[in-house]
Amino acid sequence: MRFKLIATAAMGLEALVAKEVRDLGYECEVENGKVIFEGDEKAIARANMWLRTADRVKILVGEFKAYSFDELFEKTKALPWEDYLPEDAEFPVQGKSVKSKLYSVSDCQAITKKAIVQRLQTAYNRSSWLEESGSLFKLEVAIHKDVVSLTMDTSGQGLHKRGYRIGQSEAPLKETLAAALIQLTTWNADRPFADPFCGSGTIPIEAALIGQNIAPGFNRDFLSEEWPWMPEKIWEEVRMEAEDLANYDQPLEILGTDIDHRMIEVSKNNAFEAGLGELIQFKQMQVRDFHSDKSYGVIVGNPPYGERIGDRKEVEHMYKSMGQAFEKMDTWSKYIMTSHEGFEECYGKKATKKRKLFNGFIRTDYYQYWGPRPPRKD
């Protein structure tokens, strides 16, 4: 069967998600917060397995305009739900509505549910209520400017849940954003990599996964694995493909440091849980002491932003000492994400380039300081 698929993306990451979708071999279109492409059952499994920067993968069952509840009911009922939902499917309906005539979310959810139930009763020749004792299908009715999108989530837990995080810091960085920060740099597996604010180790772990081409979904399950029409064989093939494409012999030089020794322990545990414990070095260190005798490396850091009153001065002082420490590493490229608008002044240097990103709901800038290109290896 062919599906219209949507890979949802955090604001500002759409182009990265689109590149990943194209790398998997699918043509796609980019819209705000989503990348749309077509594919079969295998595409669903591969997208869930491989997309590092997407939030989740959904099936678009139908899209239409609706200005009244009647219209919502009839147009929902007209869709071929029996192609997706078996007779015993459990299908809760979530909803959201923005700038639309139909603004009562609970009513939209109830009406959508009722329309699907009626469609299935007819399709399966049932006069009685549906038991909903089978596999789980999470549906969403989302209305934006009177356009209704009916989708089905194939991922289950968000794709940032890679399955390796057993401990975390106070303000953990989402794995999908960590992967994006790395993909926005010039780093490749032949160059040293460092994160001087590693917290629970997310950025170094994501770098190791990228460096050895390990699929981000390799260590977890997905909701659509339970669906009767998703053959088990497909998931086996997709996991085999991931295993074959992983380059476990690729040597990596990855370092994570943090001022807090407890976080170093958490990072180590998370890295071992990800199966990468031997590959990444973690050390307790203040950023002002950060140094390396290696050349042409890449630093990616998500330092404290000083959002809380009282932290600001301390953070500004830390940015200054970071600038002084990094200045000595003149062949390295440095990439720093922060919401602090005065970052460049504190750091002591203007960035080569800035990129707007959102860390959760915090608007940040990604300051990029490009070092020289490494000499070519013959």
Side-chain angles (χ1 to χ4, degrees), residues 157-171:
Q157 286 196 308
L159 293 180
H160 69 282
K161 293 262 202 293
R162 313 279 209 230
Y164 63 68
R165 200 195 280 263
I166 36 183
Q168 61 184 38
S169 54
E170 268 176 43

Side-chain angles (χ1 to χ4, degrees), residues 47-49 51-52 54-57 155 157-162 175-176 216 220 222:
N48 275 299
M49 184 61 64
L51 294 182
R52 291 182 199 280
D55 287 335
R56 47 183 71 242
V57 179
S155 303
Q157 286 196 308
L159 293 180
H160 69 282
K161 293 262 202 293
R162 313 279 209 230
E175 293 81 343
T176 39
R220 56 160 285 176
F222 303 96

Side-chain angles (χ1 to χ4, degrees), residues 320-363:
K320 189 179 170 186
S321 46
M322 181 193 339
Q324 289 162 349
F326 291 179
E327 187 63 26
K328 298 173 191 134
M329 300 163 68
D330 53 0
T331 64
W332 283 59
S333 297
K334 299 103 180 175
Y335 298 79
I336 305 294
M337 181 172 73
T338 173
S339 66
H340 191 309
E341 277 132 26
F343 174 75
E344 287 165 310
E345 284 139 60
C346 303
Y347 182 81
K349 195 176 178 186
K350 268 195 97 54
T352 318
K353 191 180 171 187
K354 275 191 335 189
R355 186 178 176 131
K356 248 187 240 164
L357 289 175
F358 281 83
N359 182 1
F361 294 107
I362 303 172
R363 212 216 99 166

Side-chain angles (χ1 to χ4, degrees), residues 84-86 89-92 135-139 152 223 227-229:
Y84 303 91
L85 301 173
E90 181 189 343
F91 56 102
S135 308
L136 175 64
F137 294 78
K138 289 183 176 174
L139 308 183
M152 205 154 97
L223 183 62
W227 297 351
W229 52 262

Side-chain angles (χ1 to χ4, degrees), residues 129-142:
W129 194 242
L130 303 165
E131 277 90 30
E132 297 203 37
S133 55
S135 308
L136 175 64
F137 294 78
K138 289 183 176 174
L139 308 183
E140 183 182 60
V141 51

